[in-house]
Amino acid sequence: MGLREAVDKSLKMVQNASYLRERKLLENLFTEISRDTGRFTLGPHDTWEAVSSGASKILILDADSKYETLVCEKIKKKNGKKDAKSLKNERKRGALEEEMNSKKPNRKDSEQDFKGETVYIHTASVKEKALRLQKIEDEGSLCVHEVIPFIEWAIEFAKSLHGVEVKVVNRGFDLAKQFREGFGGIASITRYQFRTTASYENTFEADDDSSSSSSDSEDEDIDAFFD
C-alpha cells in the first residue's frame, strides 16, 4: 500500500467514525423524543432557555445553522448620565479618551459608570434580531459590540459559562436532515425533565409574514427578556 492509499484509508476511517458518532447522538435525541421523557428541548428558544439555566447537558447544533448572538455590555449608570450612545462615543475617541482620563483624579470611578458585565442575546431570525436591537437602543442599558454566529458562541462559551457539551452535526444523512428541517437544527438533551417558561412558538420559518396577534406576543416576549 502506497502512502497516498494509506492517507485516503485513514481519512475514510475518520469520516466513518464521525458519521457513527453523529448518528448515535441523533438516535439518542430521537429516543428521548419518542419516549416523551421530557429530558430534551427542541428549537432555538426552548433550547437557549435550557442552556442558560444549566439544564442542558448536551447542545446539538446543525453545522449550517444561521442563528446569531448579540455580544453586549451592560452599562452601569451610577450617576444616571451615561447611556449606550455616550458609551459608543467614548470608545470611539480611543487614545484621546485614555489620555484625557489619565489626567482625571477620579478616572477609576468614571470608568465604573459605564463598564459592566457582558450579556449575550441569541436571535433566531433577522426579524427577531431587529426587534432586539431596537429594544436595546430604546432602553439604553446595553451597548452592542458585535454580532456573531450562535454556533461560534456555543463552541467558545457554552461549556465554560453553562457546563454544556456542544456537539455539531455535519453530515447529510436521514436523521440529520430530519433534525435540521423538523427542529431548526438546534436541540439539547437535558440533565432532568425540563419545562420551558418561554411563550415563544418553535417556528423555524425565519422571516415569514405573521399575524398581528403573533407580533404582539413576540413583542411581549422581548419585553419580558429585558425585565
Side-chain angles (χ1 to χ4, degrees), residues 171-208:
R171 310 294 163 181
F173 53 95
D174 53 347
L175 287 182
K177 183 177 181 181
Q178 187 176 349
F179 171 64
R180 179 174 59 256
E181 296 180 355
F183 307 130
I186 182 171
S188 76
I189 296 175
T190 58
R191 307 175 195 278
Y192 45 80
Q193 287 190 341
F194 179 79
R195 293 292 181 266
T196 180
T197 61
S199 56
Y200 285 100
E201 294 183 2
N202 283 324
T203 55
F204 310 115
E205 295 298 328
D207 297 297
D208 58 346

Side-chain angles (χ1 to χ4, degrees), residues 131-132 135 199-200 213-227:
L131 285 171
R132 291 197 183 278
K135 184 70 174 180
S199 56
Y200 285 100
S213 61
S214 64
S215 296
D216 292 342
S217 175
E218 188 173 39
D219 288 342
E220 290 174 1
D221 289 324
I222 297 295
D223 291 336
F225 183 89
F226 286 94
D227 287 342

Side-chain angles (χ1 to χ4, degrees), residues 32-216:
E32 296 288 345
I33 295 171
S34 64
R35 293 177 178 175
D36 196 22
T37 62
R39 296 191 297 271
F40 61 89
T41 61
L42 304 173
H45 297 105
D46 287 0
T47 298
W48 291 334
E49 183 180 348
V51 168
S52 64
S53 69
S56 289
K57 180 179 181 181
I58 301 174
L59 171 62
I60 309 171
L61 292 170
D62 182 86
D64 295 326
S65 62
K66 304 301 182 184
Y67 307 119
E68 294 182 299
T69 295
L70 311 181
V71 182
C72 311
E73 182 179 348
K74 186 177 291 186
I75 302 167
K76 295 181 179 179
K77 297 185 284 187
K78 288 174 61 178
N79 56 16
K81 296 180 180 179
K82 299 286 184 177
D83 57 17
K85 185 175 181 179
S86 64
L87 175 56
K88 288 181 179 180
N89 291 335
E90 294 239 11
R91 291 187 180 280
K92 287 180 179 179
R93 284 198 285 266
L96 178 59
E97 177 209 27
E98 183 176 355
E99 182 180 351
M100 293 174 64
N101 284 340
S102 66
K103 299 177 183 178
K104 297 179 181 180
N106 62 339
R107 180 187 178 192
K108 183 176 181 180
D109 293 337
S110 177
E111 287 180 345
Q112 290 176 345
D113 284 347
F114 59 88
K115 286 190 175 180
E117 64 182 289
T118 301
V119 177
Y120 302 103
I121 301 176
H122 311 307
T123 62
S125 68
V126 172
K127 179 180 178 180
E128 184 183 351
K129 180 174 68 173
L131 285 171
R132 291 197 183 278
L133 288 171
Q134 184 61 55
K135 184 70 174 180
I136 289 170
E137 183 178 348
D138 292 343
E139 292 289 330
S141 59
L142 296 174
C143 177
V144 180
H145 291 311
E146 62 178 331
V147 180
I148 62 175
F150 170 71
I151 192 170
E152 180 180 318
W153 175 90
I155 292 172
E156 185 171 356
F157 294 111
K159 182 69 174 179
S160 61
L161 293 180
H162 305 293
V164 182
E165 186 176 0
V166 179
K167 301 292 186 181
V168 179
V169 177
N170 294 282
R171 310 294 163 181
F173 53 95
D174 53 347
L175 287 182
K177 183 177 181 181
Q178 187 176 349
F179 171 64
R180 179 174 59 256
E181 296 180 355
F183 307 130
I186 182 171
S188 76
I189 296 175
T190 58
R191 307 175 195 278
Y192 45 80
Q193 287 190 341
F194 179 79
R195 293 292 181 266
T196 180
T197 61
S199 56
Y200 285 100
E201 294 183 2
N202 283 324
T203 55
F204 310 115
E205 295 298 328
D207 297 297
D208 58 346
D209 293 333
S210 56
S211 66
S212 59
S213 61
S214 64
S215 296
D216 292 342

